[in-house]
């Protein structure tokens, strides 16, 4: 049976200037994820650090991002979305420059943590701003956001490889300069936003996890991100490539993330629906990570499997982001913060765990565990199958100009969280 969730999708790239300014800043922000990949082995050698120590560049960045997600709504509801965006960008500029000026692995890890704080303020707020300001509907806004994510992830390793070949400090200073440009564009082009009528509490994202749909999607994303960041954070070490070559590999990976975010995900969802698309995509991603684990000693296989992983990541990012924003019976900024908190915990812990596991049990085991984590995510997601079907119905109706997703959200907000948990079966 063919299911179409997007009968008529408006062009997501016809947007106001303010949306483009935020999208550009998103590109630069997401560059920070893959920027350090090409220089991981170089950092390990030049600063005399073990792979697990170097992987803390991901762990400190993503774990702090996860925890800081809890305060994004609290901050933005008091100072407004634009000021929150600006504050996040300022922090990223300061801490990325400080990381470049640091002379020790501990210093870089610490400054990456500060970078993660700015990243959390920016990411959670930027998604809400793009969804709220973009023309072309909710689905188009998500596609634009995921396009920015994909482009940033694609360019990050390329820039990291080129600047990293000059000096390991180059990628950090490069991000500081680019984020300063994004900061100026945001200040000039994004209009001041009024503070919401209701001030959010720090506890709101945690309370939101009492809703079954949001919790299931968050836990699925935690499992998926464990596999994702095992590949991203540890695969550069067994590849045994130079800085330039690693940059090209992860650029190819990032290009597939971008292409499949924008084109592959809508195509697949239109043919299989949300649930079956996610089940199939997660199964293929788990298989791909398993191949990496089985053939880690084959450089050619490792390179191809890592690049191919970008396709599965792109599809998952777009479909899951749309689904979580639809099933969550809370305001979208709260949903974004709650979901980000859970998923980035998995992404932050995975690279460090991979390094430690490899040091004691060999290079293959981290990838076996990553594949198993993604497979576990399929089981978790299956417990919310009916919610995915409802999300698909709401998205289809919204795309057709009928019942918007907000109506479902208002209805679900009236339901007691305990009732939702009670239906978990």
């Amino acid at each position: 049976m063919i299911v179409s969730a997007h009968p008529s999708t408006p062009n997501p790239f016809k947007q106001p200037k303010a949306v483009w300014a935020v999208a550009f800043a998103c590109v630069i922000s997401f560059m920070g994820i893959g920027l350090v990949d090409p220089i991981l082995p170089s950092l390990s050698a030049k600063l005399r650090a073990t792979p697990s120590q170097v992987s803390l560049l991901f762990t400190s960045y993503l774990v702090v991002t996860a925890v800081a997600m809890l305060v994004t709504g609290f901050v933005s509801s008091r100072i407004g979305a634009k000021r929150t965006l600006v504050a996040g960008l300022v922090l990223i500029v300061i801490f990325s420059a400080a990381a470049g000026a640091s002379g020790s692995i501990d210093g870089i890890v610490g400054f990456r943590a500060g970078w993660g704080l700015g990243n959390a303020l920016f990411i959670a707020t930027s998604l809400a701003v793009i969804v709220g300001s973009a023309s072309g509907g909710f689905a188009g806004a998500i596609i634009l956001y995921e396009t920015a994510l994909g482009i940033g992830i694609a360019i990050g390793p390329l820039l990291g490889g080129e600047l990293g070949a000059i000096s390991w400090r180059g990628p950090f200073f490069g991000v500081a300069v680019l984020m300063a440009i994004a900061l100026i564009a945001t200040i000039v082009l994004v209009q001041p936003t009024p503070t919401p009528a209701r001030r959010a509490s720090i506890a709101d994202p945690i309370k939101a996890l009492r809703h079954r749909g949001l919790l299931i999607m968050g836990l699925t994303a935690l499992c998926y991100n464990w596999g994702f960041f095992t590949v991203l954070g540890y695969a550069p070490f067994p590849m045994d490539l130079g800085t330039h070559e690693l940059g090209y590999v992860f650029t190819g990976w990032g290009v597939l993330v971008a292409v499949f975010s924008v084109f592959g995900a809508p195509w697949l969802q239109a043919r299989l629906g949300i649930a079956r698309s996610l089940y199939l995509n997660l199964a293929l991603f788990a298989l791909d990570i398993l191949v990496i684990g089985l053939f880690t000693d084959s450089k050619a296989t490792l390179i191809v499997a890592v690049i191919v992983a970008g396709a599965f990541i792109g599809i998952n990012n777009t479909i899951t982001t749309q689904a979580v924003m639809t099933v969550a019976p809370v305001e979208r900024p709260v949903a974004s913060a709650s979901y980000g908190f859970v998923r980035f915990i998995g992404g932050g812990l995975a690279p460090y765990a991979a390094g430690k596991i490899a040091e004691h049990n060999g290079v293959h085991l981290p990838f076996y565990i990553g594949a198993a984590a993604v497979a576990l995510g399929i089981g978790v997601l299956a417990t919310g199958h009916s919610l995915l079907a409802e999300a698909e119905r709401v998205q289809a109706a919204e795309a057709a100009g009928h019942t918007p997703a907000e109506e479902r959200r208002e209805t679900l907000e009236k339901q007691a969280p305990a009732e939702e948990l009670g239906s978990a079966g």
Side-chain angles (χ1 to χ4, degrees):
M1 178 179 179
I2 296 176
V3 182
S4 176
H6 302 283
S8 58
T9 304
N11 188 345
F13 302 107
K14 291 183 179 180
Q15 303 292 347
K17 290 181 180 179
V19 171
W20 282 116
V22 176
F24 171 71
C26 286
V27 169
I28 310 303
S29 176
F30 289 123
M31 282 171 56
I33 294 177
L35 184 86
V36 298
D37 264 288
I39 61 171
L40 290 179
S42 176
L43 281 174
S44 180
K46 293 181 179 179
L47 298 180
R48 298 179 181 178
T50 65
S52 60
Q53 287 176 312
V54 173
S55 69
L56 285 172
L57 289 174
F58 284 102
T59 298
S60 65
Y61 175 71
L62 291 169
V63 169
V64 170
T65 295
V67 176
M69 283 285 182
L70 300 178
V71 305
T72 55
F74 177 86
V75 173
S76 64
S77 67
R78 284 160 175 77
I79 66 174
K82 178 177 179 176
R83 289 178 180 173
T84 305
L85 288 175
V86 169
L89 290 169
V90 167
L91 288 174
I92 295 173
V93 170
I94 291 172
F95 284 107
S96 57
S102 179
S104 69
I105 191 66
D106 290 339
I108 299 172
V109 168
F111 290 128
R112 280 278 283 181
W115 188 341
L117 173 60
N119 197 51
L121 291 172
F122 177 78
I123 286 179
T125 310
S126 64
L127 177 57
V129 168
I130 287 178
V131 169
S133 304
S135 59
F138 169 67
I142 294 296
I143 290 175
L144 179 63
Y145 180 79
E146 294 299 335
T147 302
L149 184 152
I151 293 173
I153 286 179
I155 296 176
L158 181 62
L159 181 65
E162 295 302 315
L163 295 179
I166 301 171
S167 168
W168 64 262
R169 301 178 189 273
F172 298 108
F173 288 132
V175 164
V177 172
L178 290 171
M179 269 303 190
I181 296 172
L183 172 61
I184 294 170
T186 300
I187 292 173
V188 173
L189 297 176
V190 178
Q191 295 297 316
T193 52
T195 56
R198 187 184 75 85
R199 291 189 172 186
S201 163
I202 292 178
D204 282 351
I206 296 295
K207 291 179 180 178
L209 291 173
R210 294 182 297 177
H211 294 289
R212 179 171 168 245
L214 189 54
L215 179 61
I216 288 173
M217 296 304 295
L219 291 176
T220 301
L222 186 153
C223 295
Y224 155 79
N225 272 276
W226 191 281
F228 174 7
F229 282 96
T230 295
V231 173
L232 191 64
Y234 193 73
F237 292 101
M239 277 190 209
D240 192 27
L241 296 174
T243 302
H244 276 297
E245 290 77 12
L246 276 174
Y248 299 147
V249 169
F250 279 96
T251 297
W253 167 85
V255 167
L256 290 189
V257 173
V259 170
F260 280 84
S261 291
V262 179
F263 303 107
W267 180 87
L268 187 63
Q269 182 177 332
R271 282 151 182 79
L272 298 181
I274 293 176
R276 286 190 291 174
S277 294
L278 289 177
Y279 296 148
L280 174 63
N281 191 65
L282 289 173
L284 292 175
F285 185 39
L287 182 61
D288 185 70
I289 301 174
L290 181 61
V291 168
I292 293 175
L294 290 170
F295 298 97
T296 304
D297 297 329
S298 170
K299 186 179 295 187
T301 304
L302 184 57
I303 290 171
V304 171
V306 166
I307 292 174
V308 169
F312 307 127
I313 291 166
I315 290 171
N316 191 82
N317 284 348
T318 296
I319 297 179
T320 302
T321 302
Q322 290 188 41
V324 75
M325 288 297 182
T326 305
V327 304
V330 294
E331 300 93 337
R332 281 171 177 161
V334 174
S336 177
S338 182
Y339 175 66
F341 166 68
V342 178
R343 69 169 173 153
F344 283 128
I345 287 292
L349 296 178
Y352 181 70
K356 281 296 185 183
I357 292 169
E359 287 172 10
H360 296 93
N361 301 281
V363 72
H364 304 278
L365 186 57
F367 298 108
Y368 296 154
I369 294 174
V374 176
L376 175 63
I378 298 174
V380 174
L381 185 64
T383 65
H385 185 86
S386 61
L387 292 169
L388 295 177
E390 176 64 10
E392 186 171 298
R393 186 194 67 77
V394 172
Q395 286 183 25
E398 187 180 52
H402 298 149
T403 306
E406 283 75 9
E407 288 185 17
R408 167 176 153 76
R409 184 170 295 106
E410 290 171 2
T411 300
L412 289 177
E413 281 179 331
K414 297 175 182 178
Q415 299 176 6
E419 292 177 357
E420 288 201 13
L421 288 174
S423 65

